Amino acid sequence: MSPRNPLRRGGGSSALSVEELGARAEALSQALEIGGDRLERQPAARAGEVADKVRERTGLVGGHTVVALAGATGSGKSSLFNALVGADVAQTGMRRPMTSTPTAAVWGSEPAGELLDWLSVGTRHQVEGSDGDPLSGLVLVDLPDFDSRESAHREEATRVLELVDVFVWVTDPQKYADAVLHDDYVAVLREYGAVTIVVLNQVDRLSSDGRDQVVADLERLLQRDGLADHEVLGTSTRTGDGLDELRARLRGAVEHSDAARHRLGADLRTAAEGLGSSVADGEHGVPDRARAELVDALARSAGVPTVVEAVARDFRMESWARTGWPFTRWVRAFRPAPLKRLRLDREVDGAPDITEHDVRAVLGRSSIPPPAPAARAAVDLASRRIGTSAGEGLPVRWADAVADAARPADRDLADELDMAVMRTSLRGRKPVWWALFGLLQVLLAVAAVAGLIWLVVIALAGWLQLPDIPTADVGPFATPFLLLVGGIVCGLLLAAIGRWLAGIGARKRAATVDKRLRRAIGEVADERVVEPVQQVLADHARTREGIRRALG
């Protein structure tokens, strides 16, 4: 079971260990560092102060418990301070604030100078003969009035309240329902119930019934403020009523030596809760559909359809040059090579030690036509959609960061896309049928030429009335005629088959190159758009995890 809270009735949660406090403070600091300006400024600044405070407070040597007496003007706070100390240390007054700077009283001989320096409390009082006192280790601080007319007094009270371990709210029968006390302090610090004591001072001014009514009403207000099950202590410095019970509460806090860790744990939880609106729950990522849309838009912008069409045409032209009818191949030499026109007819070694600058120095830029305005607009739209879809559900600052990460620089992006195309191999292995068809075309061409020469020789011999040159006939056709006609017809037929096969091969080669180019374009898309967006989302996840760790 959790140990009983010495400051209030009922049970209370255990204080965090120093190690756990340090771990949570470190997690909070990392969340702030990673989140940066994507977190809400005021909660982030507060969380940074809390993380620093936890490190500083846990780094102080000694087992002191710092208790602050805070109250409004005329509540008798300073009189209560003097009564607890047993000496007139703090100035008292009824009508106007008398405490302008914090005053500290220290019980026990253990040095508290470093702690009071950290608190910036200059006025200090060592309680005499307190070494054996049950309150040994207590540092009691009398604060300026939090409703003082002097803004410096209010600011000083607020500053010290940020640093102490235990709050003792001192009020009186006239101001116990004051809005400043409840709205600006008690309700705001409702997470600090484990280190809070509420004192109704000057109860000697009330009748017995009146005291019960005021105490009950004050407890109701505390319940509304979020401090459930808080017992109000009634005290009177004039009659001494309730002082022993208050000392007992303070003694319990000192003996447990965990008030500081309770306070720091509450600080961390409150700071982490304040950052809760700066992050969102759930996992966020770049949808595959949005990435595919971006790659498609970048491919059009990079001229991939033009390059793929040129690859197909280049394959068909090379196929025809290697397998077409030999007597008409020379005509194709006058047609410009599609890839050569785009300056993409050279292979690039894709070894890792070849940098983009080396490739650019050797090959320069391609001659792919620049993207049309519609293509550039499609890239911009696809990038925006990635930013919108990936940032959906995130707080505004994170969503804006995702949107900014999804917008690459147009000029650099164009260069990288061009380099991606130039680094991609647009060639492939030469089909086996090219060599076979080429050999057959040569044989058929030789046969046609041989038949033609044979026929010419026969014709010359007849014209010169030379003896007939014998020929072997095949049916009604002579062998030379069959060689000539067969070589021509079969060559043309083989060229037609080669053209048909070239069309199939061109489509396959185009599909292969299209996949290669889109893979290269996808790498650019990932590097310039997707990865920056994913980095922002990863930062968000790590920030959220750090906040959750600090929250416990």
Side-chain angles (χ1 to χ4, degrees):
M1 294 181 61
S2 300
R4 184 179 184 275
N5 184 351
L7 300 183
R8 61 173 180 167
R9 66 189 181 191
S13 59
S14 300
L16 300 176
S17 65
V18 173
E19 292 75 15
E20 179 65 12
L21 286 171
R24 293 192 184 187
E26 181 62 26
L28 186 59
S29 295
Q30 290 180 357
L32 293 173
E33 181 179 356
I34 296 171
D37 57 4
R38 294 166 291 195
L39 301 174
E40 296 294 335
R41 289 188 180 89
Q42 187 171 354
R46 168 62 181 161
E49 293 173 356
V50 167
D52 292 339
K53 170 190 170 181
V54 171
R55 283 189 289 267
E56 293 170 0
R57 182 68 176 93
T58 55
L60 293 174
V61 179
H64 293 95
T65 300
V66 183
V67 179
L69 295 181
T73 305
S75 62
K77 169 177 54 64
S78 296
S79 299
L80 186 61
F81 176 84
N82 290 337
L84 293 171
V85 174
D88 291 335
V89 178
Q91 286 184 303
T92 61
M94 293 298 294
R95 295 188 178 179
R96 60 186 180 89
M98 297 300 295
T99 306
S100 59
T101 58
T103 300
V106 182
W107 276 259
S109 59
E110 182 179 1
E114 184 180 5
L115 175 60
L116 292 173
D117 289 341
W118 179 69
L119 293 170
S120 298
V121 176
T123 305
R124 308 169 185 183
H125 173 75
Q126 181 69 41
V127 179
E128 297 180 1
S130 59
D131 285 341
D133 194 307
L135 294 179
S136 180
L138 172 65
V139 177
L140 188 64
V141 181
D142 182 26
L143 297 181
D145 301 329
F146 56 67
D147 63 346
S148 173
R149 296 178 181 178
E150 298 290 337
S151 61
H153 295 184
R154 298 194 302 272
E155 292 171 1
E156 183 67 3
T158 302
R159 182 191 67 80
V160 180
L161 280 173
E162 290 287 340
L163 305 177
V164 300
D165 304 328
V166 178
F167 311 106
V168 177
W169 300 110
V170 182
T171 186
D172 63 90
Q174 289 183 333
K175 293 188 177 182
Y176 74 91
D178 186 73
V180 175
L181 170 65
H182 291 278
D183 297 340
D184 296 350
Y185 290 93
V186 178
V188 173
L189 298 173
R190 60 184 177 273
E191 293 293 332
Y192 300 83
V195 290
T196 299
I197 301 174
V198 179
V199 172
L200 179 65
N201 198 22
Q202 302 175 6
V203 294
D204 56 290
R205 298 164 56 187
L206 297 171
S207 64
S208 178
D209 292 340
R211 172 177 174 174
D212 293 340
Q213 291 178 1
V214 171
V215 169
D217 193 36
L218 180 53
E219 289 180 348
R220 179 187 61 80
L221 294 174
L222 295 176
Q223 182 90 12
R224 184 202 64 183
D225 294 335
L227 296 182
D229 299 327
H230 253 74
E231 182 180 14
V232 175
L233 294 181
T235 62
S236 171
T237 57
R238 190 171 65 85
T239 65
D241 190 12
L243 295 183
D244 289 340
E245 187 176 357
L246 178 57
R247 288 193 183 95
R249 294 288 185 94
L250 298 179
R251 181 170 63 252
V254 172
E255 289 175 352
H256 280 73
S257 301
D258 61 357
R261 290 181 282 119
H262 268 296
R263 167 68 198 272
L264 295 176
D267 280 336
L268 286 170
R269 287 192 300 272
T270 303
E273 288 174 355
L275 290 173
S277 61
S278 295
V279 293
D281 292 329
E283 297 298 326
H284 297 79
V286 177
D288 293 338
R289 182 175 180 180
R291 181 188 179 277
E293 181 181 351
L294 175 64
V295 172
D296 185 65
L298 290 174
R300 293 198 302 272
S301 178
V304 168
T306 301
V307 175
V308 170
E309 182 182 356
V311 167
R313 291 173 55 200
D314 191 81
F315 184 90
R316 289 194 295 269
M317 290 182 65
E318 189 173 0
S319 296
W320 299 338
R322 291 176 179 271
T323 65
W325 200 39
F327 302 108
T328 58
R329 289 181 187 177
W330 61 274
V331 178
R332 306 189 189 280
F334 294 99
R335 296 181 180 179
L339 290 179
K340 188 174 183 180
R341 293 180 62 184
L342 298 176
R343 299 188 66 188
L344 297 173
D345 58 328
R346 289 168 285 186
E347 288 296 315
V348 179
D349 186 1
D353 57 342
I354 303 298
T355 66
E356 293 185 5
H357 296 290
D358 297 331
V359 175
R360 182 71 76 194
V362 174
L363 301 182
R365 290 188 61 90
S366 70
S367 296
I368 301 174
R376 290 196 295 269
V379 171
D380 184 67
L381 180 60
S383 300
R384 290 177 181 273
R385 285 181 178 173
I386 280 189
T388 301
S389 58
E392 186 177 0
L394 293 177
V396 175
R397 291 175 182 267
W398 286 101
D400 290 344
V402 169
D404 291 340
R407 296 193 190 104
D410 292 340
R411 183 173 182 180
D412 294 340
L413 181 61
D415 287 341
E416 292 194 25
L417 291 174
D418 193 65
M419 284 300 306
V421 173
M422 296 187 69
R423 287 196 307 267
T424 302
S425 175
L426 304 180
R427 302 288 184 179
R429 287 186 294 182
K430 294 178 174 59
V432 177
W433 65 271
W434 279 6
L436 178 61
F437 275 43
L439 177 61
L440 290 177
Q441 286 287 24
V442 171
L443 294 177
L444 291 173
V446 169
V449 171
L452 177 62
I453 294 175
W454 198 342
L455 290 175
V456 171
V457 170
I458 292 175
L460 286 175
W463 182 67
L464 296 175
Q465 298 182 354
L466 296 176
D468 292 338
I469 298 176
T471 59
D473 297 335
V474 179
F477 302 105
T479 301
F481 178 80
L482 289 176
L483 289 175
L484 175 62
V485 175
I488 293 174
V489 172
C490 290
L492 291 174
L493 180 62
L494 189 63
I497 296 174
R499 179 183 287 267
W500 177 69
L501 292 176
I504 297 176
R507 288 192 292 272
K508 291 183 177 180
R509 177 65 58 81
T512 300
V513 170
D514 184 69
K515 290 181 180 178
R516 292 177 186 172
L517 289 171
R518 288 180 179 274
R519 189 181 303 116
I521 296 299
E523 292 176 357
V524 176
D526 290 339
E527 181 181 354
R528 296 303 306 275
V529 179
V530 177
E531 290 179 3
V533 168
Q534 289 177 335
Q535 182 60 52
V536 175
L537 297 178
D539 288 347
H540 173 266
R542 292 170 60 196
T543 301
R544 181 184 59 206
E545 184 59 32
I547 293 173
R548 287 180 176 176
R549 179 71 179 88
L551 188 60

